[in-house]
Amino acid sequence: MKNTRWPYFIILLLIVTSCNHQNSIKNNGIIETRLSTLLTQKEYFKLSSQLESDKDSIAGQQRLFFRAFVDNAFNKNERSIKEVDTLLQNYAAKLSDSAKAILYLLQDDSYFKTFQYAKSAQNERVVLSQYSTVLDSGKIRDVKNSFLLCNALKGVPPQQIVKMDSSVINWKKDKVGLIEIPVRCNGTTPDAIFDTRANISSISETYATKLGLKILNVSYDEGSGITGLRFKTGLGVADSLYIGNMLIRNAIFQVMPDSVLYIAPIQFSMNVIIGFPIIEQLQEVQIYKDGRMIIPLKPSASPLHNLALDGLDPVLALRENGTTLPFYFDSGAGNSVLYSTYFRKYKSKILREGRIKKAQFGGAGGIRNENVYVLPALDLCLGNKKITLDSIDILTRQIDPKEKFYGNIGRDFMSRFDEMILNFKSMYVEGR
């Protein structure tokens, strides 16, 4: 299931360059425009590399601006928060209202990722009260919706994890082939879907009662990934939740009607879903094909740098024929799917080699039918390991108007490795 607090980041072209002095040198403007374009396209890996190359060629304010986004994308949230503070405090007179709004929302995202809910809500309040005139109606709606969530959480202590030792957990495939792990809460031990693209962990109303969650007085809109369906959801807090021998305190769950988490055509209920905020705080998860999941006490380092974050969504850099492409990384999707961004980039090849069919995509809230092209095979490289996916679906129209990534990589890709390491400290995914 794919929950989203808001469609992330407004179009950024010209926001930085509009802040330049008239006597800025031409080369400086070209560099800023190039960096702005990469940011607008959410090319976080290329932006990081380009910023490092250009760091001595752009003014300190602009360098700090882009660095705040790069640090946010690569999970350096405390650093990004400080960089935004510096920009808003020291360069306020040079920043347009659009730039200020974006910086407040960027910092809001970092606050939420570090469980500083009151500060997150405060940033959203500032944007709504002072900068709503520079936002479109859709963005205002999203920020208002997010404010309901964050304001309801403002009195909840930060989520904390207590790790005394490494944990070995036995996982299993559920009815649709997804990873399920046992969790313990208030004497109840349900199996929970392990979903890297669930922006917030989720639970059905029935299981929220079984696990004794504290239910907060809030209702807000939520969405479900590829189906694009919208529905109302609430919030609950698990004071103590165990995964293996690790204790997670103050775990936040979206509390959904049972019907939303029930996929009728296959008679399958997604009762509990462990999402990104918990998975990220584990720092490293090793998933073995033989049914073991190991969460080490200390995460390991790697020269790989192929994992980023778009808001609360993990983004994985993969190579196809020597070209690096960013994809959503989704352990809660049974099959990978390519988006219309990919279709537009490789349209002639797809029309030549693909075939059309009607496909169903399911998730929280229901089922959606789409006409898709099917490629007989797709080769993708993770590090030095090449994987061939057979019969992969390609959407021809956008799910989200702001869609930038090339697809959603799911369990069919992950299952091709004997071991897969997800590391949110050094930000890499490695397959062996």
Side-chain angles (χ1 to χ4, degrees):
M1 188 183 67
K2 323 297 170 275
N3 321 107
T4 354
R5 286 208 303 145
W6 55 74
Y8 201 54
F9 300 148
I10 308 164
I11 297 298
L12 295 169
L13 282 173
L14 303 180
I15 285 178
V16 180
T17 54
S18 68
C19 305
N20 292 343
H21 296 296
Q22 291 182 354
N23 62 352
S24 294
I25 61 174
K26 182 178 180 180
N27 185 53
N28 197 31
I30 292 172
I31 292 172
E32 290 167 9
T33 301
R34 181 167 62 225
L35 294 172
S36 293
T37 300
L38 290 173
L39 182 54
T40 301
Q41 296 301 319
K42 300 186 178 184
E43 290 279 4
Y44 299 125
F45 303 98
K46 292 180 182 178
L47 176 63
S48 179
S49 298
Q50 192 68 56
L51 184 60
E52 181 62 24
S53 298
D54 294 335
K55 64 181 179 181
D56 296 326
S57 303
I58 57 174
Q61 173 197 339
Q62 282 75 30
R63 185 168 61 250
L64 192 62
F65 183 94
F66 291 111
R67 176 51 57 190
F69 282 90
V70 168
D71 283 337
N72 172 275
F74 291 102
N75 214 19
K76 306 297 183 185
N77 291 294
E78 294 295 349
R79 198 156 67 189
S80 181
I81 288 168
K82 291 178 181 178
E83 288 157 346
V84 173
D85 280 339
T86 300
L87 285 162
L88 293 173
Q89 292 167 12
N90 297 349
Y91 298 99
K94 298 179 180 179
L95 293 169
S96 68
D97 283 352
S98 295
K100 290 175 184 177
I102 287 176
L103 287 171
Y104 273 112
L105 291 178
L106 175 69
Q107 191 179 59
D108 164 25
D109 180 73
S110 286
Y111 278 143
F112 192 86
K113 288 174 183 171
T114 52
F115 314 108
Q116 301 179 72
Y117 308 120
K119 290 182 178 180
S120 189
Q122 176 59 26
N123 273 33
E124 291 162 358
R125 185 183 287 110
V126 169
V127 169
L128 292 171
S129 63
Q130 298 182 28
Y131 302 108
S132 61
T133 57
V134 302
L135 304 179
D136 62 39
S137 58
K139 190 64 178 178
I140 292 172
R141 181 186 63 247
D142 293 331
V143 177
K144 285 181 177 178
N145 192 58
S146 181
F147 175 74
L148 291 174
L149 184 157
C150 295
N151 195 52
L153 292 172
K154 65 183 180 182
V156 176
Q159 179 181 292
Q160 295 179 323
I161 188 166
V162 181
K163 263 189 188 184
M164 301 303 294
D165 200 353
S166 299
S167 286
V168 180
I169 300 162
N170 293 321
W171 66 268
K172 64 181 182 181
K173 290 182 183 179
D174 63 20
K175 191 173 183 178
V176 293
L178 302 180
I179 294 173
E180 287 192 346
I181 59 173
V183 299
R184 303 193 312 279
C185 184
N186 287 330
T188 302
T189 309
D191 289 325
I193 295 171
F194 182 89
D195 188 351
T196 54
R197 273 203 73 195
N199 293 170
I200 305 173
S201 300
S202 299
I203 192 169
S204 67
E205 290 177 343
T206 294
Y207 271 75
T209 300
K210 282 185 179 182
L211 271 60
L213 267 59
K214 177 183 177 183
I215 306 300
L216 305 182
N217 184 25
V218 65
S219 176
Y220 62 96
D221 292 330
E222 195 48 278
S224 174
I226 201 165
T227 68
L229 299 169
R230 306 290 293 177
F231 45 84
K232 290 289 186 181
T233 187
L235 285 173
V237 182
D239 292 334
S240 298
L241 179 78
Y242 289 87
I243 298 177
N245 56 23
M246 294 165 299
L247 168 62
I248 298 97
R249 298 189 183 279
N250 310 310
I252 305 302
F253 283 83
Q254 293 185 122
V255 180
M256 299 184 178
D258 292 14
S259 59
V260 170
L261 292 177
Y262 180 68
I263 304 176
I266 58 173
Q267 299 181 334
F268 178 65
S269 293
M270 302 179 290
N271 297 312
V272 185
I273 301 170
I274 296 299
F276 172 80
I278 292 177
I279 295 171
E280 183 275 335
Q281 206 170 37
L282 300 176
Q283 293 193 318
E284 179 173 314
V285 180
Q286 302 167 4
I287 303 172
Y288 291 83
K289 199 171 186 176
D290 63 9
R292 289 176 298 141
M293 178 183 289
I294 296 177
I295 301 165
L297 181 62
K298 295 182 179 180
S300 53
S302 170
L304 287 174
H305 186 58
N306 57 5
L307 183 63
L309 298 173
D310 181 53
L312 298 168
D313 285 310
V315 177
L316 182 62
L318 299 172
R319 294 193 317 281
E320 183 192 6
N321 294 325
T323 301
T324 298
L325 303 174
F327 298 84
Y328 286 124
F329 180 58
D330 189 356
S331 67
N335 294 305
S336 302
V337 62
L338 302 178
Y339 289 167
S340 61
T341 310
Y342 187 93
F343 178 76
R344 292 192 300 273
K345 185 176 180 68
Y346 298 107
K347 186 174 181 179
S348 59
K349 172 188 174 182
I350 294 165
L351 293 179
R352 184 175 66 252
E353 299 179 8
R355 60 181 176 84
I356 297 178
K357 75 166 187 177
K358 185 173 287 293
Q360 281 192 336
F361 300 96
I367 297 290
R368 181 169 177 167
N369 294 309
E370 289 285 342
N371 288 322
V372 300
Y373 276 90
V374 182
L375 271 184
L378 177 69
D379 293 332
L380 294 172
C381 293
L382 176 64
N384 295 321
K385 181 91 171 184
K386 183 171 79 171
I387 296 296
T388 300
L389 294 178
D390 300 321
S391 301
I392 188 165
D393 293 344
I394 307 170
L395 296 166
T396 59
R397 70 181 187 91
Q398 290 181 322
I399 301 169
D400 183 336
K402 299 181 179 67
E403 183 179 289
K404 303 294 182 185
F405 301 113
Y406 288 87
N408 193 59
I409 298 299
R411 275 287 300 148
D412 54 344
F413 181 83
M414 297 175 65
S415 65
R416 303 297 295 275
F417 297 93
D418 293 328
E419 175 191 0
M420 178 164 272
I421 300 173
L422 320 182
N423 187 299
F424 290 94
K425 184 175 176 62
S426 299
M427 297 302 290
Y428 70 88
V429 174
E430 183 176 1
R432 299 172 179 171

